[in-house]
Structure formats: structure tokens, C-alpha cells
Amino acid sequence: MGTGALVVSFSTANAFAQTPAPAPAAPAAAPAKPPALPGSLDTDRYLDSWIRIDAQSKITVFTGKAELGQGIRTPLMQVAAEELYVDPKDIELITADTGRTPDEGFTAGSQSMQNSGTAIRNAAAQVRDLLIAQAATQWNLPADQLKVEKKRVIAPDGRSMGYGEVVVGQFLHVEAQPKSKLKTPDQFSVIGRDVQRVDIPGKVTGGVAYIQDLKMDGMVHARVVRPPSYSATLKNLDDTAIRKMPGVIEVVRDGNFLAVVTEKEYQAVKAMHALQLAAQWDEPAKLLDNANLSAELIGLETEVGTVAEAGTPAFPNGPTYEATFSRPYIMHGSIGPSCGIAVMKADGSLDVWSHTQGVFPDRDAIAQMLALPKPKVRVIHMEGSGCYGHNGADDAAADAALIATKVPGRPVRVQWMREQEHTWEPFGPGMVTKIKASVGADGMIDNWTYDLWSNSHGTRPGDAGSLLAGRHKSNPTPLKLPKININPNGNGDRNAIPLYAIPNQKILWHYVNQMPIRVSALRGLGAQPNVFSIESTMDELAMAAKTDPVEFRLKHMKDKRGYDVIKLAAEKFGWGKGTPARDHGVGFAFARYKNHAAYLAIAVELKVEPDTGRVRVIRCVSAIDSGQAVNPDGIRNQTEGGILQSLSWTLYEAVQFDKTRITSADWSSYPILRFASVPDTVEVHIIDRPGTPFLGTGEAAQGPTSAAIANAIRNATGKRITDLPLSRERVKTAIGA
């Protein structure tokens, strides 16, 4: 363990001896690459980037990750408290802020605990040992005789010093070491314990919990008038009457970007509606045929990449299953429409508050859009009411930033309207998959081919072209099209490789570089439709092999941890015990998110109403292995939420559009799961793995839940439906009701 001291030694032997003429100098060696550090410490290597302690022993922990409703603040505080031997309540956590925190990119991919949690835990352990070493030096005692607790270093004779007394000046401004003296699981007092989420009290008591609640001195209100469709251009505007309306401060027109600024919020709403009526647009029809979505997406293919291949799929005469699956475009469906606040200060700098998933990339995009140096723009994260992907948060922040340059000195609050959120947010991409698989004489899968049509699922900020304001203003920045990128994390191809043992397989990604509908990252990226396709096929192959679906999966599962979650979910559900009642069905599915993150298996029971096609999910039983469980209650929260969101995607959600416009402008035209359709019970059983790496939890349930529902409908009706959503209309058609 390093102590922050640098010891340099050298020898003077033969220093003055006569030496021959020097040989020609060798080429300078490249600088040695610094050793890898745990988690995000590797990219922000100084301890005081993560942990600071003041003279009063106040402990502040910094993370570049954002609280998005996933409850990440609580376990991050827990890991710091564990290694510093303090209570989580002694920790103040500062989340994503370009002016204060490390740059950890986007809060995405269920990687907050893997990256930030690992960094904070290791930094805390190293800070603790530095405190002990410094106190040992002051007391002239061996460090191993000292202990820490309750923000104090304690000597054997009872003497103690507060952490703040030990820390002096730049004491913690030292580079972290590759290895930390971490507590072992048998020493844990905070990790592994249910701790109430720190973000909940404000949300249930009406406090300032979301950016939508934030009020600032001198704040003005703005509303943006969006074009009626993606391709519309503003051809005429007479804003004379709007400028005379009560409270109007400014009407902003910059190319196709149109907004109004007022003293009070409702004044902004009224002026926005008047501005909508005054604006005249050219509106060509450039969207695709929603009624023939699968064929349209297949026709957009620009190149083909090989995701994985093994052996040579040959398809002899054994039982073979072949099908085409599809997912429509789906929304984030944020319950609270997006909001952003910005203020242009007297020194020419700009402060922006946003519920973005990436404050640093959003900072870069806003700076580019406004031609400002990056240090002049600060983006501060504040939670928004609904996200899990790239929704309208970054766009609302950019709207506020652009408008703030026209009203310097006053905070500008931009609040989107419901129809703006629904029609302008970047949707989760539509996808098509085609699968062909066969079972050999031994009852095992012998051949597997899988083709998927999708884009990258990522057009996040970082570039001004990813922002609506950046594309609508005069001299717009075009959207930078992402290239195909096949990597272990996966994008549109996420979870396209089955985790099962299959000797002959080939997975191809038919890449679509540009979608006609605005799209970006949605929770899980391609994992949900890929797992839906794979796990639906597993059930069909199990039937072809005349094997129970759970047993069939276990026969093909070589990963012990995957085997364990399948077994546990089946046991807790009571799989195979009894026959479902009439019109009831049971279904099972499994996946390991990204094939290297959390493992999750789920069983569901549902009822299908033959007359209406309505599907009512009755109970869900899941098992999850997220590695070391820091806050088990948080894992349960995330998994339950993921199951319910996936249930909504699976049964209800699909963006509707015609050749010109998005037509899903409200909750009536874009239905989601309602309280009356929530299952009676949702069980989450955690397999804790003390001492193992954090695996992440938030996106593990999306794919398996969809597939388990599809498999249960198949079990109840004898019909396989391969197009999402599994709506009552599709179910009714399938069963011929």
C-alpha cells in the first residue's frame, strides 16, 4: 500500500572513474505505460478526484455517474463507507458535474457499480490506509497497531485523531495504486446490507427531487415550438402579436429553431401556442411505411458484419425451427417531460442543469453548438422523472443553453410539453431478426444461424448534430452517423450470441447506418429483441427435442452461475409442479446481460382471454446474480422495475407514424402498462457472491421477461407470436378468436 511518499536512491560508486568516449545515443524509449487501476480510477488516477476530507472530518465522495432513478447513490455511498469505517450517513455524494466530478462518460450499460463503485471502493481503502500511515508517523507507532472507526484513527493506548486532523493540504492529491487493501467479506458491516435509498424521501414528500422542481432567483420560462415533423422547414413567421403578449421577454428564431421566453410559466405556454399558429412550415413526406416495417428495415441495410461464428452450420434432416422476429420503435416514455435550465453569466460562461446521462459529452456538444470553449460550459446533473436511455434530456438542456445566450444574466427554464416528448425524443430502434436452428439425434442443438437488422443504437451527445437545437439552428450541424462497431459490450448486436453450448453457429449483423425515425439508446440497447428471439427459439427447440424447456436450457448451460440462476428461478416458481389452469400458461427465459454482466432467469404465469386476446400476467419469479450484492434491496428494486418495464414493452408499446409525422403524441396513442395490469406478485431472488466483482443489475431483466411472456402465451394458446408487441389484437388474430 502506498503512503504518498517517494523514495529515490542512487549509488556514487565509480562516479568519478575515467570513462571512455560516449557511444552514440540510443533512440529514446517510449514512456512506460502506467499500471492499470481498478474501475474508473484508471482514467482519473488521483485519490482526491474521488474522495476529499476537510478539517472538520467531513467526507465528500465524487462520482461521474448520474442518478437516473436506479438508486445508484445509495450503494456508492455504502462502498465508500465500508472501506472508511464510517456510516453511510457520514458521506456526502456529489454526482455528475463537469465542474467537480471525474469524467466517467455516460451512465449506461449497467456499469455504474463496475466502474464507479469499484473506483470509489478502492480509493476509499487507499485513503483509509494513508490516514493510518500518517497518524502512525505522527505518533511514531507501527501502522498495524492502529485502527479506524467513526471518522477517527485510534491508537492502542486510546489516543485518537479525527480524519480532519490527519489530512493536511494536498495530502490526498496522490496517484492511486494498482492494489488496495480491501476489507474481506467477513469484515463487512455496510456492504450486503439493505439501506434505504437516499433519493426516496424527497420524491415522496414533495421536496426538490427533480430538475422539474428546481426554482432559481430571477428565473424566466421558455417554451420551444418544434417543427411538426422531422423534415419540416420554417418558411414564414409573423411574430409581431406574440411579442406584445403579456410577460413576453423574447421570441427566439434561429433557422428552424423557434422559442418564446416569458416571465411566468403559463405565459410561456400561451405564447407557445400562439407561436405555433403563426408559424408556417414546408412539410415533405419522407418517413417509411409503418405497415410494412420489417421489410422496410431489411431494405435499409448498408453493410454486414460477423458478430460470431463457430463450426459450420449445415442443417441436416433433423428437427429445424426457422422464424422472423421483429420489434417496433419504442419510446422511453418518460413520465415527466424533459426539462433543462441554463444561465449565461457576465463572464461569458454558461451553466447548464440537465438530467442527461452524460454531463461531459453533453458539455462538449453544447460548447460546439454555441462555438464556446469547453471550459466555458459547465453541465450539472440533476435527476429527471424518467429516463434509462437517451431521451429528451440533452435536447432540453441544449434548448435552454441556446435560449440563455439571448437572455444573458437570467436562468432560463425550458420545459417540454407531453406531445414534444412523445414525438421528438430519440426512440429505441426498430429491429428485425431471423433465426434458424436445429436439434440433433442426441436432443442437443447442433446448428444455429442468426441474422439481425438494426443500427448502432447510439447517437448520444458529444457532437452538436446529436442535439435538436444543433440541427434546427441556422448553420446546423448534421447528425454524425455511427459506424458498425462489434465489441464485447454489444450495441444493436448486444446479446445476439447465445450463451448456450452450440457447436455450429453464425451470427451476422446487417447494419443500418441511418434510420428514417430519430433513434438512440434505450435501456438494454439490442438485448431485449435479441434475447426475445433467442429464448423464444429455445422453447421451440425444446419442444422439438421433447424436453422440458428448463431442462433443455440446463443441458446446454456450461456456465455454473448461469446454471444456478436457472435452477433457482425454476425452483422458486415451482416449475413443473402441476398443470396450468385453462387459458393459463407458464413461460421461462434466461440471459446473461451482455454475456458478461448480471445473470437473470425468470418464470411467469399468465392468463389469455380467448374472446379479447388480452394477456394478464399473474406472477413473475426471477433469480439474479449481480456478483457482490452491495444493497440487496436496490437489486430487488431494479429487477422489479425492469420486469415491469419489459412487460409494458412486450404487451403494449409501439410508436405509430405515417409517411410524414409521428402520430403517437400522447398516452392514448402510445399505451403503456397501467396499474390494473401489474402482476399480482413479482419475486426477485438474489444469489449473492461476496468478494466477486460487481456485475451491474439495471438492464438484466428486459430480454428474459419479454421472452418468458412470449413462451407463456405459446404454452397457453399453442401459438407462437414473433412480432412485438404481443398486443391483444395480435393474440386474438393468432388464436383465431
Side-chain angles (χ1 to χ4, degrees):
M1 175 65 216
T3 61
L6 176 65
V7 179
V8 180
S9 63
F10 61 93
S11 171
T12 58
N14 298 319
F16 300 100
Q18 187 173 354
T19 57
K33 185 179 179 180
L37 299 181
S40 294
L41 274 174
D42 200 47
T43 54
D44 210 311
R45 302 172 71 89
Y46 284 85
L47 294 179
D48 61 353
S49 295
W50 303 90
I51 297 176
R52 297 179 194 174
I53 301 173
D54 69 11
Q56 286 72 46
S57 297
K58 178 184 176 183
I59 302 169
T60 306
V61 174
F62 300 86
T63 174
K65 298 298 184 182
E67 174 61 70
L68 306 169
Q70 79 278 41
I72 197 62
R73 289 171 59 194
T74 307
L76 290 178
M77 294 167 69
Q78 284 181 257
V79 297
E82 186 69 78
E83 296 297 344
L84 290 169
Y85 286 79
V86 298
D87 190 278
K89 294 178 181 178
D90 293 324
I91 303 287
E92 179 185 5
L93 183 73
I94 305 297
T95 61
D97 178 342
T98 61
R100 301 185 70 184
T101 67
D103 181 357
E104 293 193 82
F106 294 105
T107 304
S110 300
Q111 296 181 98
S112 292
M113 288 306 296
Q114 290 172 290
N115 295 339
S116 204
T118 299
I120 289 169
R121 186 181 175 200
N122 279 269
Q126 294 187 29
V127 166
R128 176 199 69 219
D129 284 357
L130 284 173
L131 293 168
I132 290 172
Q134 179 68 9
T137 299
Q138 292 186 34
W139 285 329
N140 196 25
L141 290 171
D144 61 7
Q145 292 186 11
L146 307 184
K147 66 177 183 178
V148 291
E149 62 180 36
K150 297 180 179 179
K151 298 196 287 186
R152 302 194 72 80
V153 184
I154 303 169
D157 60 7
R159 284 180 292 170
S160 70
M161 281 194 291
Y163 286 176
E165 298 173 73
V166 181
V167 174
V168 179
Q170 298 295 306
F171 177 71
L172 296 181
H173 189 64
V174 294
E175 191 165 345
Q177 302 297 307
K179 298 290 184 182
S180 308
K181 188 179 177 182
L182 300 173
K183 292 172 73 172
T184 56
D186 61 295
Q187 297 174 304
F188 289 163
S189 61
V190 182
I191 289 177
R193 197 179 87 201
D194 288 342
V195 173
Q196 181 180 329
R197 280 175 51 169
V198 297
D199 59 314
I200 295 299
K203 294 174 180 177
V204 298
T205 60
V208 179
Y210 301 113
I211 188 171
Q212 287 90 346
D213 303 320
L214 188 60
K215 297 178 182 177
M216 306 177 76
D217 291 341
M219 187 167 73
V220 296
H221 298 269
R223 285 293 190 278
V224 176
V225 174
R226 293 283 178 224
S229 59
Y230 293 143
S231 301
T233 55
L234 185 60
K235 66 177 182 179
N236 189 37
L237 174 69
D238 182 357
D239 61 7
T240 305
I242 289 91
R243 291 181 178 274
K244 296 177 181 178
M245 291 179 70
V248 171
I249 298 169
E250 184 64 83
V251 174
V252 178
R253 179 180 179 181
D254 188 346
N256 287 319
F257 183 85
L258 191 58
V260 63
V261 187
T262 64
E263 292 288 352
K264 297 180 180 180
E265 185 168 19
Y266 190 57
Q267 292 171 339
V269 174
K270 293 176 69 175
M272 177 199 70
H273 288 310
L275 201 56
Q276 284 175 324
L277 293 173
Q280 298 177 13
W281 305 84
D282 280 326
E283 192 178 5
K286 292 187 176 181
L287 298 185
L288 48 73
D289 182 5
N290 194 22
N292 196 24
L293 183 59
S294 292
E296 293 271 14
L297 287 174
I298 290 172
L300 294 173
E301 173 189 317
T302 53
E303 62 181 300
V304 181
T306 300
V307 179
E309 58 183 334
T312 306
F315 296 102
N317 295 324
T320 300
Y321 177 72
E322 192 169 1
T324 298
F325 298 83
S326 72
R327 180 182 85 167
Y329 295 95
I330 56 177
M331 290 184 189
H332 297 81
S334 299
I335 297 300
S338 294
C339 181
I341 299 174
V343 59
M344 176 64 78
K345 297 189 290 188
D347 63 359
S349 64
L350 181 72
D351 285 352
V352 182
W353 288 261
S354 174
H355 51 114
T356 174
Q357 285 191 288
V359 290
F360 285 89
D362 201 24
R363 184 271 314 268
D364 295 352
I366 290 171
Q368 179 191 0
M369 179 184 75
L370 299 177
L372 288 172
K374 291 179 185 178
K376 283 286 189 179
V377 180
R378 179 183 178 189
V379 178
I380 305 147
H381 183 269
M382 187 167 184
E383 193 175 352
S385 52
C387 188
Y388 295 148
H390 175 196
N391 66 348
D394 305 272
D395 296 307
D399 294 341
L402 177 56
I403 297 167
T405 64
K406 314 296 184 183
V407 192
R410 298 192 71 176
V412 175
R413 179 181 184 269
V414 173
Q415 173 65 63
W416 279 21
M417 307 296 283
R418 169 53 56 197
E419 64 271 16
Q420 292 173 336
E421 186 76 36
H422 265 49
T423 58
W424 279 101
E425 67 138 278
F427 305 127
M431 284 183 64
V432 177
T433 68
K434 291 188 177 184
I435 197 163
K436 184 177 182 180
S438 62
V439 175
D442 59 355
M444 302 291 286
I445 304 171
D446 53 4
N447 297 284
W448 182 285
T449 61
Y450 187 77
D451 296 79
L452 69 102
W453 284 261
S454 179
N455 74 322
S456 70
H457 290 234
T459 53
R460 293 180 183 272
D463 180 86
S466 62
L467 302 171
L468 290 177
R471 290 157 66 179
H472 288 163
K473 67 188 289 289
S474 57
N475 299 315
T477 303
L479 177 66
K480 187 181 293 184
L481 296 179
K483 298 178 180 179
I484 189 170
N485 180 17
I486 298 172
N487 64 69
N489 281 327
N491 296 285
D493 61 326
R494 184 170 290 178
N495 276 99
I497 305 172
L499 200 62
Y500 304 106
I502 303 172
N504 303 298
Q505 57 179 291
K506 188 167 188 176
I507 294 97
L508 298 178
W509 184 0
H510 301 260
Y511 188 66
V512 177
N513 73 341
Q514 186 173 14
M515 290 279 192
I517 304 293
R518 189 181 188 218
V519 295
S520 191
L522 177 72
R523 194 178 193 183
L525 303 190
Q528 186 241 359
N530 287 325
V531 174
F532 169 73
S533 306
I534 291 167
E535 288 293 295
S536 294
T537 300
M538 288 298 290
D539 260 35
E540 294 296 330
L541 295 177
M543 284 183 273
K546 297 180 172 57
T547 306
D548 174 81
V550 171
E551 287 301 316
F552 189 71
R553 286 171 171 82
L554 292 173
K555 284 170 60 176
H556 289 83
M557 179 54 57
K558 304 305 180 186
D559 186 320
K560 176 64 165 57
R561 291 170 73 168
Y563 192 97
D564 288 347
V565 295
I566 292 171
K567 286 283 287 184
L568 182 61
E571 289 170 4
K572 294 295 185 180
F573 183 80
W575 186 268
K577 297 178 180 178
T579 302
R582 183 179 177 181
D583 299 327
H584 285 236
V586 294
F588 195 92
F590 159 83
R592 183 181 187 190
Y593 184 53
K594 296 189 285 191
N595 283 5
H596 60 79
Y599 301 81
L600 185 135
I602 182 170
V604 304
E605 178 187 359
L606 54 75
K607 180 181 179 182
V608 178
E609 297 177 357
D611 293 341
T612 65
R614 178 175 183 260
V615 174
R616 168 84 166 94
V617 178
I618 298 166
R619 64 186 181 112
C620 305
V621 178
S622 65
I624 185 168
D625 174 355
S626 299
Q628 170 73 66
V630 175
N631 186 341
D633 191 49
I635 293 174
R636 285 189 289 271
N637 293 164
Q638 276 294 279
T639 306
E640 289 168 2
I643 289 169
L644 295 183
Q645 185 177 42
S646 184
L647 193 157
S648 184
W649 290 351
T650 305
L651 297 179
Y652 304 103
E653 299 187 36
V655 173
Q656 303 299 323
F657 52 90
D658 56 28
K659 289 292 187 70
T660 304
R661 298 183 178 185
I662 306 298
T663 57
S664 294
D666 53 29
W667 295 120
S668 296
S669 51
Y670 189 83
I672 62 173
L673 178 72
R674 302 297 178 103
F675 285 114
S677 298
V678 170
D680 297 339
T681 59
V682 178
E683 296 179 26
V684 180
H685 300 277
I686 299 168
I687 298 178
D688 192 8
R689 305 281 186 183
T692 62
F694 308 130
L695 294 182
T697 298
E699 295 161 285
Q702 266 57 35
T705 301
S706 289
I709 292 169
N711 290 336
I713 292 172
R714 173 73 162 88
N715 179 249
T717 66
K719 303 295 183 180
R720 171 66 61 189
I721 305 174
T722 58
D723 296 312
L724 292 170
L726 309 179
S727 62
R728 63 174 64 197
E729 293 79 13
R730 282 199 170 118
V731 173
K732 189 174 179 179
T733 299
I735 62 180

